[in-house]
């Protein structure tokens, strides 16, 4: 079993659901690397990369074995740079499953290709994805709901950690 898990995402912003998953993963692995995607082509983020990383580091402080890094490019390359690591993703509901399954399968295939191309060897080493079910109390929580609710000033106390709420108030996103 790999000792390192990479938990990738956009984290725009980190939610209580993300935090729950990070804490549970930290109980399963020696090291959890939270990987923050630098920029997703399809989204214009609410928070800059720097802010997303700062907020994550703040909420992860005190959770043993957890570090936060940003990454650019292919997830499998980032995971490979961490040695023998697996990817973890949360599943909130059935709707997540189709996309997550496809992503896991694509990443597994991509990891085979990148390994043999980069190494010049025939060694096949596949990167696996493990799914953790979201705690039901967070199954309705997502960053996109947070961003949408923020536009309408819906209270976000049950959606994001306190420090994120504080930053949102400081930036005038919510009041
Ligand atoms: O929090 P998100 O936006 O659901 O996370 C999506 C993420 C960052 C895991 C995914 O977009 C990703 O891995 N992007 C990096 C590019 C990549 O490797 N794409 C292939 C996987 S389909």
């Amino acid at each position: 079993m790999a000792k390192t898990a990479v938990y990738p995402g956009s984290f725009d912003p980190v939610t209580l659901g993300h935090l729950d998953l990070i804490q549970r993963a930290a109980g399963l692995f020696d090291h959890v690397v939270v990987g923050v995607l630098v920029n997703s082509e399809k989204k214009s983020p609410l928070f800059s990369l720097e802010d997303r990383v700062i907020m994550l580091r703040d909420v992860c402080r005190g959770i043993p074995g957890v570090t936060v890094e940003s990454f650019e490019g292919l997830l499998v390359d980032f995971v490979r740079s961490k040695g023998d690591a697996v990817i973890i993703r949360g599943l909130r509901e059935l709707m997540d499953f189709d996309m997550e399954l496809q992503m896991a399968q694509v990443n597994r295939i991509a990891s085979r290709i990148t390994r043999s191309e980069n190494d010049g060897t025939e060694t096949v080493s596949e990167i696996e994805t493990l799914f953790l079910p979201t705690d039901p109390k967070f199954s309705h929580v997502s960053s996109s709901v947070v961003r949408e609710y923020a536009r309408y000033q819906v209270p976000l106390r049950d959606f994001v950690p306190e420090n994120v709420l504080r930053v949102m108030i400081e930036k005038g996103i919510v009041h």
Side-chain angles (χ1 to χ4, degrees), residues 7-8 11 13-26 34 56 59-60 63 88-92 96 132-146 156-162 164:
Y7 180 35
F11 302 104
V14 55
T15 67
L16 289 173
H18 293 135
L19 178 58
D20 177 61
L21 217 84
I22 293 167
Q23 283 165 330
R24 287 161 56 202
V34 181
L56 264 162
V59 292
C60 292
I63 311 174
I88 52 165
R89 292 283 288 173
L91 286 179
R92 284 170 306 192
D96 285 343
L132 287 179
T134 300
D135 187 306
K137 66 176 182 276
F138 300 123
S139 56
H140 59 291
V141 175
S142 69
S143 298
S144 53
V145 166
V146 169
L156 290 171
R157 238 187 330 273
D158 294 336
F159 290 76
V160 292
E162 247 174 60
V164 174

Side-chain angles (χ1 to χ4, degrees), residues 54-124:
I54 288 171
M55 288 188 286
L56 264 162
R57 289 205 172 124
D58 205 10
V59 292
C60 292
R61 193 172 299 128
I63 311 174
V66 177
T67 53
V68 179
E69 286 177 42
S70 58
F71 77 97
E72 211 167 358
L74 277 182
L75 173 59
V76 288
D77 290 334
F78 180 62
V79 177
R80 188 77 79 205
S81 75
K82 302 295 156 204
D84 182 20
V86 297
I87 299 167
I88 52 165
R89 292 283 288 173
L91 286 179
R92 284 170 306 192
E93 51 187 5
L94 209 53
M95 255 171 58
D96 285 343
F97 187 73
D98 276 355
M99 225 201 52
E100 292 297 335
L101 178 65
Q102 191 188 41
M103 211 157 78
Q105 289 168 335
V106 165
N107 281 332
R108 192 152 158 259
I109 291 165
S111 69
R112 269 182 227 158
I113 297 164
T114 53
R115 174 65 183 231
S116 47
E117 276 177 359
N118 293 345
D119 277 356
T121 68
E122 293 302 310
T123 316
V124 173

